Amino acid sequence: MSEMKSAPMSQPSGPAPSNVPDLVRIGQIPTNTAINIETDVLDPVVKSDTFCRFQLQNKGILHSHSKIVLRLNTSTDAGMYPLNVGVHSLIQRCALRVGSKTISEIDDFNHYIGYKSMFLSNEHQKYREQYVSSRVIAHKPYYNDGVAQNAGSSDTSAPKVGLDIGVAPSCDADEVMNSSGTLTLRTFAETNTAFGPEFQVALADLFPFLYTNQLPLYMMKEPVTIELTFSDPTKGRLITSVADVNFGIDQTATQLIADYQYYPNEIMEQYAQANADLSMTFMDYRLSKRTINLSGTKNTSIATGDKIINVGGAGRIATKVITMLSRQDQHDTSLLNNYHAFGCGRVYGVSSSADTNGTLTSNLKYNDHLLYPVDVTNPAVQFHNVVQAEGMVPFVTREEYSFQGDITTGVSISDIAQNEQTAGAINTAAQGLVNQFFYQAYKLNRNERVNQRGVELNVNYNGLMNLSDGTSDNYTLRSYVELVKVARLQNGVLESFFA
């Protein structure tokens, strides 16, 4: 009897993999498709010195690094943008809307971008941002290369660190370049009677949604608008030595340079058909603010006491919290204006063994558990937590971050020394770079949805210097909660909701 052999059963074939590339994700596309770029220069549909609105054309795919051009009016009073945020100091709030729906919005944007700008590399700020956005926080060592022979001139000893803007500091024959002298910004970066400084803002900096996604405008049926609310023209825009100067925006120069990407028609049609229901995940930021008033004797150490602050996030998936303490009275006489993170004070100069720094005690609580088992007081650990939250190291010095050490040069910019401090031996109203980057970041690492109690921030700034001579020192504690959000494009209509 012959054996019967059955043929192997064939497996059901699954759907064929799509050959349509993902056109809206930022990154490499695995195809040799040619891309055409069309650039439109759009004027705002609404404009004033306090607000403007742009409306995009529903065509192509919007490039995330399209730029908004902003220029100031001419002025008889010299002024320059804050060194860490540049032209972004003009923008107090930004919003991306589709129809009547808000997709992405950041309040106090100029403070938020002060934190994000810390992570731009020195070479990027020196060679690019200085000319594009007027951000110039790039560092270099300052050598003992002054001409004064009695100062111990040396081309190998660099005891100080300061800004590198591509020009050498000027100094007198009896000065040392690492401790005195002047850095002069290029003419195009300052206001004068001939023209106002003109710089650009990238859309991806305004809206984190565009860091990882590009808008397929040709697939959208509703109008897409960008709204900018501008900051206080007398205190919040520039650095100047003249009080209450109104630095107005040149509204004739406010424009959006929009780049639209086009692929071959058949690919764009195939993509639209294959993604009639398209979802995009991104991070959005919600701001919580708290005013803290402190009083005491001038130049003495004061503490905020234990503060437990609910910063929001209830019912949401939160991944990060960013906090900063800003002194409200610090404005246009400081190199960073009000866009800083104030740290605790210090007492130096008695002896190296007696030098002391104030401390910030910090922790975060959500879902009934503390983020750290022990409150964090060491600024080195707090710096490490910022690195862990962002995945890269901030490009600032130790003294700029936590007011520790004494390595910042005394070379001045706009008559303000880089090591200028509002309290202590110098004791002026001006403020340089030291103790101005004490940002805190907390990475919520348990991948949990926050319960209805929300996220609670526990802080105690112990050692702030009272600067107001008996009256209240007013601070604002800002907290940005990073939340996961989803944008869904279905049949040409875009909606957004929290994950």
Side-chain angles (χ1 to χ4, degrees), residues 317-319 366-367 443-450 484:
I317 298 178
T319 58
Y366 70 105
N367 291 351
K443 183 178 180 180
L444 279 61
N445 52 14
R446 295 200 294 266
N447 197 26
E448 298 174 348
R449 184 179 297 276
V450 179
V484 180

Side-chain angles (χ1 to χ4, degrees), residues 46-66:
V46 177
K47 61 181 179 180
S48 69
D49 193 58
T50 59
F51 179 82
C52 76
R53 178 187 296 122
F54 295 95
Q55 181 168 328
L56 298 167
Q57 300 184 48
N58 290 37
K59 62 180 184 180
I61 299 173
L62 179 67
H63 196 286
S64 294
H65 283 277
S66 299

Side-chain angles (χ1 to χ4, degrees), residues 1-5:
M1 185 174 179
S2 60
E3 294 182 359
M4 300 290 293
K5 294 185 178 180

Side-chain angles (χ1 to χ4, degrees), residues 356-371:
T356 59
N357 283 81
T359 58
L360 165 65
T361 303
S362 59
N363 210 332
L364 207 68
K365 185 178 182 180
Y366 70 105
N367 291 351
D368 301 322
H369 291 88
L370 291 171
L371 179 62

Side-chain angles (χ1 to χ4, degrees), residues 346-351 354-357 398-399 402-406:
R346 69 185 185 189
V347 178
Y348 280 13
V350 179
S351 66
D355 291 345
T356 59
N357 283 81
R398 177 169 169 246
E399 189 175 13
S402 61
F403 214 15
Q404 294 182 338
D406 185 17

